[in-house]
Amino acid sequence: LYLPMMRDYKLSTFQATLKTIKAGYVQAMALELIDHNPLAKTHFADFSTRRPSPRQTRLDDAAIKSFIKQLAKSPLKTRMLGAWLLLHASRVGETSLANIERIQDGRWEIREDEAKNQLNVIPITGYAQDLLNRYRSIMRKRTGYRGQYLFAQKRNRRKPVSATQASNMIRNATKGKVSPHDIRKRARTWWLDNGIDYFVGELLIGHKMKDLDAAYIQTHARGECLKALNQWHEYLFKLGLGDLIR
């Protein structure tokens, strides 16, 4: 595996692959599917003394600060949409359908018909709940809106904005420099770079799980998702996200 990858791929790709394989062995050990981890003492430095070049994304720290500043100049609904996408790295289609009736008891339930044929349950941190409470309070005072959708259409408030409309809201706010997918990629990269368990990251991003992964989730991942999101949200609030909803 090592020599062909060194020949055909970037060093950072091999590093990410090694992390993924090691994570798989760790979880297999935790589930008692194997009794020995052959990579327990294996490290990236065993293969190369060079360091991979930092991954380039359209949203590094400076770009996220700029994104937040651009959102701050936008209407309230666009600000909250951008904040909600950043907080949860959710797909734009499922985010546009966010329904307060399914954001209850510290979790956001994304139904199968709203996502990619898979129920996804995302923990709601104190950071996210605070923004949500402020947003709904301001919406009630300014517009009288008390409906179920976080992002209702302007002309028909009984319906949510479409995925296309939501995507355009973000692109218009950033003059085309940031897309909702850029936000998802940034969150996934940050989780990986900050030591968040591979399976936890996959669960948060809403990727479909296989049977082995599902077994792991039942024993470990749900509680870890909340910890991971708290770390991510603390980072975002330090960059100014908490000031968007005022």
Side-chain angles (χ1 to χ4, degrees):
L1 176 65
Y2 167 67
L3 291 177
M5 288 200 73
M6 288 298 95
R7 182 183 65 242
D8 300 329
Y9 297 92
K10 294 181 180 179
L11 199 59
S12 59
T13 301
F14 173 74
Q15 184 185 45
T17 302
L18 180 62
K19 284 183 178 180
T20 301
I21 295 173
K22 290 187 66 175
Y25 275 116
V26 169
Q27 306 319 325
M29 286 286 290
L31 294 169
E32 299 182 352
L33 297 174
I34 58 176
D35 56 16
H36 172 65
N37 181 354
L39 296 183
K41 296 182 179 180
T42 302
H43 304 283
F44 176 74
D46 297 332
F47 298 92
S48 177
T49 57
R50 293 184 295 132
R51 296 176 65 102
S53 300
R55 273 191 296 271
Q56 297 297 314
T57 67
R58 293 180 69 179
L59 281 178
D60 55 15
D61 288 4
I64 288 181
K65 287 182 180 179
S66 176
F67 175 54
I68 292 172
K69 288 181 179 179
Q70 288 172 318
L71 284 176
K73 302 175 184 178
S74 303
L76 177 62
K77 190 185 301 181
T78 300
R79 278 182 272 151
M80 186 60 181
L81 174 65
W84 206 250
L85 285 165
L86 264 178
L87 287 169
H88 304 107
S90 45
R91 296 180 180 89
V92 67
E94 58 202 31
T95 305
S96 68
L97 296 173
N99 185 325
I100 194 62
E101 294 180 358
R102 290 193 285 278
I103 305 175
Q104 303 285 345
D105 302 320
R107 49 188 247 164
W108 173 23
E109 183 178 291
I110 301 173
R111 300 186 315 192
E112 293 182 11
D113 60 331
E114 297 172 340
K116 291 194 172 182
N117 298 316
Q118 173 178 281
L119 174 69
N120 194 19
V121 179
I122 301 176
I124 297 295
T125 69
Y127 297 100
Q129 189 66 55
D130 177 57
L131 279 187
L132 178 60
N133 291 344
R134 277 190 269 155
Y135 172 68
R136 297 191 70 214
S137 176
I138 294 171
M139 287 292 283
R140 284 194 295 266
K141 291 178 181 178
R142 292 184 183 178
T143 70
Y145 179 70
R146 296 175 179 271
Q148 59 182 318
Y149 293 110
L150 264 62
F151 311 109
Q153 294 181 15
K154 187 174 182 179
R155 295 184 178 179
N156 185 352
R157 298 199 293 184
R158 294 184 179 181
K159 293 184 178 181
V161 297
S162 68
T164 299
Q165 289 171 324
S167 184
N168 287 338
M169 287 164 67
I170 298 301
R171 290 184 180 277
N172 291 340
T174 63
K175 298 180 180 179
K177 293 182 179 180
V178 177
S179 72
H181 190 62
D182 293 329
I183 296 171
R184 278 172 61 81
K185 288 193 295 184
R186 175 54 181 159
R188 191 67 184 92
T189 299
W190 191 93
W191 293 329
L192 181 63
D193 289 346
N194 284 271
I196 301 302
D197 184 285
Y198 170 79
F199 287 96
V200 171
E202 289 295 283
L203 181 60
L204 288 173
I205 211 73
H207 287 167
K208 193 165 186 177
M209 293 290 177
K210 298 179 181 178
D211 292 341
L212 173 60
D213 302 343
Y216 167 69
I217 291 168
Q218 294 300 321
T219 60
H220 179 68
R222 286 297 181 191
E224 294 301 309
C225 284
L226 180 58
K227 293 180 182 179
L229 283 178
N230 268 314
Q231 292 178 41
W232 171 238
H233 294 178
E234 180 181 10
Y235 160 77
L236 292 175
F237 269 58
K238 286 180 179 178
L239 296 180
L241 186 68
D243 297 325
L244 271 182
I245 308 301
R246 299 289 184 189

